[in-house]
């Protein structure tokens, strides 16, 4: 089971002088259960790509399949696809509109025609998943903090119990603490079996979490693989204006200075070990001292 994107092209306002080719032939497969990262600078086509994954946008060319089902074949139930593939937009809190948190989170399940008892169960479950106290359900979403509003909006998608969860820059605009909390909750969801696609323009954030990632530039995927595989292409990433995680930059610089260090390193722990290894036991002691 997977989401497959085959040679996807998307042109906004095709056939007009304002035509923009936002996707120029993207091929990609996201496997069930994985934690997938999608990175790229603003304007590279990330949001356009993910809006194809649940059928919000229609390909100009190419195809999208969810668990083997082509979204744009006759007879495909797009409503069912949108329950299966939950999409959390960037700044999703801008789309809160109900009088209470409960009503907002309940909107999707109610729309699915579920009995009110199950709606209630799902709302409670979804709020808990994003770390919100059940008591918040009676409050107005507009009284909440920015981070809480964002959680409510994410809960609204979770209440549909999607198999695939796609989040478009879920940490944008949050403070470092708020970012860490949301990322922690997203990781927990993935560990519980939800397939997660995390969209970000921040390498540092994505690198530590995902098992695989794809890098977009100008409507194309320019790299794909495990974080280690992708970060080993440091120059390519720099060319397209994506900063490597700081630790990977340091490894590259040490290598340029002649240290025999692998470049596919992106956590501080791994870096420490690699440096100690090349410095040898004696100098290693000094290095250890220096890091204290
Ligand atoms: P990202 O999410 O990586 O910032 P987008 O998918 O939003 O990238 O945008 C890709 C390209 O498509 C950009 O050139 C952007 O200006 C253009 N674009 C995005 N949305 C629209 C739209 N609704 N109409 C026309 N052009 C758009
Ligand atoms: Mg975007």
């Amino acid at each position: 089971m997977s989401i497959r994107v085959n040679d996807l092209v998307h042109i906004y306002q095709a056939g007009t002088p304002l035509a923009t080719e936002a996707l120029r032939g993207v091929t990609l497969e996201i496997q069930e259960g994985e934690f997938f990262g999608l990175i790229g600078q603003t304007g590279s086509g990330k949001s356009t790509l993910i809006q194809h994954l649940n059928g919000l946008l229609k390909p100009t060319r190419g195809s999208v399949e969810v668990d083997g089902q082509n979204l744009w074949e006759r007879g495909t139930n797009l409503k069912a696809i949108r329950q299966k593939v939950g999409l959390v937009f960037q700044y999703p809190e801008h789309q809160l509109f109900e009088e209470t948190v409960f009503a907002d989170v309940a909107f999707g399940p109610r729309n699915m025609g579920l009995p009110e008892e199950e709606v209630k169960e799902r709302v409670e479950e979804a709020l808990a998943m994003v770390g919100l106290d059940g008591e918040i359900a009676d409050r107005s979403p507009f009284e909440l903090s920015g981070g809480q509003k964002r959680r409510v909006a994410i809960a609204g998608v979770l209440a549909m119990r999607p198999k695939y969860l796609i989040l478009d820059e879920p940490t944008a605009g949050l403070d470092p603490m708020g970012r860490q909390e949301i990322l922690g909750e997203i990781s927990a969801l993935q560990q519980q079996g939800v397939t997660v696609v995390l969209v970000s323009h921040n390498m540092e954030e994505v690198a530590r979490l995902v098992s695989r990632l794809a890098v977009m530039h100008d409507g194309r995927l320019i790299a794909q693989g495990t974080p280690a595989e992708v970060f080993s292409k440091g120059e390519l990433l720099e060319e397209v204006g994506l900063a490597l995680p700081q630790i990977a930059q340091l490894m590259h610089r040490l290598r340029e200075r002649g240290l025999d260090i692998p470049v596919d390193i992106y956590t501080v722990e791994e870096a420490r070990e690699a440096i100690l290894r090349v410095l040898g036991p004696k100098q290693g002691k000094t290095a250890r001292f220096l890091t204290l």
Side-chain angles (χ1 to χ4, degrees):
M1 295 288 129
S2 66
I3 299 181
R4 290 172 66 134
V5 174
N6 297 304
D7 207 11
L8 180 63
V9 172
H10 190 84
I11 304 174
Y12 287 106
Q13 289 152 302
T16 75
L18 295 173
T20 307
E21 195 172 1
L23 299 177
R24 302 168 189 263
V26 171
T27 297
L28 173 76
E29 182 162 13
I30 296 156
Q31 300 290 344
E32 184 178 343
E34 84 178 321
F35 200 156
F36 193 89
L38 183 65
I39 54 176
Q41 278 200 314
T42 302
S44 58
K46 304 180 298 296
S47 297
T48 305
L49 172 58
I50 59 170
Q51 288 176 70
H52 282 82
L53 306 185
N54 74 347
L56 277 180
L57 287 177
K58 189 174 181 179
T60 305
R61 279 201 302 281
S63 66
V64 179
E65 283 168 37
V66 173
D67 294 345
Q69 184 160 31
N70 186 322
L71 301 199
W72 296 98
E73 235 163 43
R74 263 161 170 258
T76 295
N77 179 351
L78 278 181
K79 196 174 168 193
I81 294 287
R82 287 182 191 140
Q83 283 161 24
K84 196 185 232 188
V85 184
L87 181 58
V88 178
F89 286 98
Q90 191 168 0
Y91 297 107
E93 59 274 20
H94 294 167
Q95 289 167 27
L96 297 174
F97 56 93
E98 297 281 356
E99 259 171 49
T100 64
V101 167
F102 184 92
D104 239 307
V105 179
F107 182 80
R110 278 180 177 154
N111 205 25
M112 286 163 73
L114 296 171
E116 200 54 27
E117 210 166 295
E118 183 168 355
V119 169
K120 189 163 180 284
E121 196 183 301
R122 286 183 174 221
V123 171
E124 283 166 5
E125 176 193 86
L127 288 174
M129 278 174 153
V130 295
L132 288 174
D133 194 294
E135 279 168 23
I136 214 169
D138 297 328
R139 293 175 58 189
S140 159
F142 304 103
E143 298 167 359
L144 308 179
S145 75
Q148 286 173 324
K149 280 186 202 162
R150 181 148 318 165
R151 286 187 167 75
V152 169
I154 295 174
V157 173
L158 290 176
M160 317 255 281
R161 295 201 182 137
K163 174 174 171 185
Y164 299 95
L165 178 66
I166 303 169
L167 302 121
D168 198 351
E169 314 228 14
T171 62
L174 299 180
D175 60 34
M177 180 92 129
R179 282 171 179 253
Q180 286 319 312
E181 283 171 7
I182 289 244
L183 291 173
E185 285 148 17
I186 293 169
S187 296
L189 288 168
Q190 193 266 337
Q191 275 153 23
Q192 287 162 35
V194 181
T195 308
V196 175
V197 179
L198 177 63
V199 177
S200 175
H201 61 266
N202 184 339
M203 286 273 209
E204 207 106 44
E205 181 171 290
V206 174
R208 288 177 293 109
L209 293 173
V210 302
S211 43
R212 234 153 46 82
L213 79 163
V215 182
M216 290 203 73
H217 177 63
D218 202 16
R220 292 193 172 85
L221 287 188
I222 57 161
Q224 228 186 119
T226 63
E229 285 163 357
V230 170
F231 296 144
S232 67
K233 298 177 186 159
E235 277 165 33
L236 175 69
L237 299 176
E238 267 166 38
E239 267 168 41
V240 303
L242 283 168
L244 280 180
Q246 281 176 8
I247 199 72
Q249 286 179 29
L250 174 64
M251 294 300 103
H252 276 270
R253 246 175 266 146
L254 289 176
R255 204 179 159 80
E256 277 162 20
R257 298 213 176 166
L259 282 190
D260 183 21
I261 273 178
V263 287
D264 61 346
I265 278 180
Y266 51 93
T267 69
V268 175
E269 282 305 301
E270 287 172 342
R272 182 171 179 275
E273 280 178 16
I275 292 171
L276 290 177
R277 216 164 28 237
V278 295
L279 290 182
K282 205 164 161 214
Q283 287 158 317
K285 250 184 216 149
T286 321
R288 215 165 284 149
F289 177 72
L290 287 172
T291 59
L292 287 177

